[in-house]
């Protein structure tokens, strides 16, 4: 059984619901913000965000997919020409729902659903700085010391060990170049010693951990391939894991 | 079709309606310093139209 739609049902039937949601989406893209009931806003949000994702893709197929929902070509053009490119930097979360209290007449809880502002230059720079800072805090630990030795010894027997040994050799090359750079600043001794202690601390258990991590990397690669397929990733994933 | 046999007495009607009660809504003070109006929580202030420092409603 397919998962039922989250949230309340709208209108008098499935066709009525589709029409209401399509009209709401059209109005949202035409006016950038609309006031509606909370229930409609909550149902509209996933549909509107999916349409914006199509607009970001921007090709003819995506445009035809959107035309299935939005009949107004002017609105579709605005969506693809203005709204989609605005959100090139943003990975989802294109709309904001703010509750505005009950309506006079039937006391229905109302909400404003609006397209969020595109990422400003300042926000983009801050986000990039945050990313780079996180990357610097936790770099991938290079294989070295005993782990590398054991990996080299067992390279002939297991392909995993061979790959670890190859990685270690690469890391060693990088380290030596780093040391050459560091010698200019007179820090070569310190960095060398630090690497020695790190290498000693990694005992034979680490070679097993290395195996696990390389397998994980393979799995990630497969799932990444699945994700690139776009819409069909859910149906593709089981095949790839087989 | 089933129909009532007796007229509902005034007393019964009033006893039933005595159970209709209202409750006071939970209110918070608008976090906008210039406003300070009581508002519903998690809702844009109907007085100043702001929510979390953003102007949501035209005032």
């Amino acid at each position: 059984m397919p998962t039922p739609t989250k949230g309340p049902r709208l209108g008098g039937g499935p066709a009525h619901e589709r029409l209401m949601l399509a009209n709401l989406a059209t109005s949202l893209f035409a006016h950038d913000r609309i006031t509606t009931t909370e229930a409609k806003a909550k149902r509209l949000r996933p549909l509107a965000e999916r349409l914006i994702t199509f607009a970001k893709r921007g090709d003819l197929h995506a445009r035809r997919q959107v035309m299935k929902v939005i009949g107004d070509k002017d609105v579709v053009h605005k969506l693809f020409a203005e709204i989609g490119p605005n959100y090139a930097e943003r990975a989802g979360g294109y709309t904001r729902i703010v509750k505005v209290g009950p309506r006079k007449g039937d006391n229905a809880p109302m909400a404003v659903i609006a397209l969020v502002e595109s990422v400003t230059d300042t926000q983009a720079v801050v986000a990039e700085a945050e990313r780079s800072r996180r990357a610097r805090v936790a770099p991938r630990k290079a294989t070295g010391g005993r782990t590398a030795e054991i990996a080299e010894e067992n390279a002939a027997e297991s392909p995993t060990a061979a790959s670890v040994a190859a990685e270690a050799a690469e890391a060693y090359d990088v380290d030596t170049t780093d040391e050459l750079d560091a010698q200019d600043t007179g820090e070569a001794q310190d960095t060398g010693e630090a690497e020695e202690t790190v290498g000693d601390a990694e005992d034979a258990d680490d070679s097993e951990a290395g195996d696990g991590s390389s397998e994980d990397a393979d799995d990630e690669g497969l799932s990444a391939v699945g994700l690139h397929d776009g819409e069909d990733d859910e149906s593709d994933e089981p095949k790839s894991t087989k | 079709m089933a129909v009532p046999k007796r007229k509902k007495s005034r007393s019964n009607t009033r006893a039933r309606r005595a159970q209709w009660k209202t409750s006071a809504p939970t209110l918070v003070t608008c976090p906008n310093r210039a406003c300070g109006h009581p508002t519903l929580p998690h809702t844009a202030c109907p007085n100043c139209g702001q929510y979390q420092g953003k102007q949501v409603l035209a005032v």
Side-chain angles (χ1 to χ4, degrees), chain A residues 35-38 97-112, chain B residues 27 39-46 51 56-57:
Chain A
T35 308
T36 180
T37 62
E38 263 181 51
I97 297 175
V98 178
K99 294 170 192 166
V100 295
R103 165 166 70 189
K104 274 213 174 72
D106 63 355
N107 205 30
M110 300 297 280
V112 169
Chain B
L27 292 177
T39 68
L40 294 169
H42 311 292
T43 306
C45 172
Y51 184 66
V56 178
L57 298 168

Side-chain angles (χ1 to χ4, degrees), chain B residues 29-37 45 47-51 53 55:
Chain B
T29 311
C30 176
N32 178 13
R33 293 251 178 101
C35 176
H37 202 259
C45 172
N47 190 44
C48 65
Q50 284 193 2
Y51 184 66
Q55 195 70 32

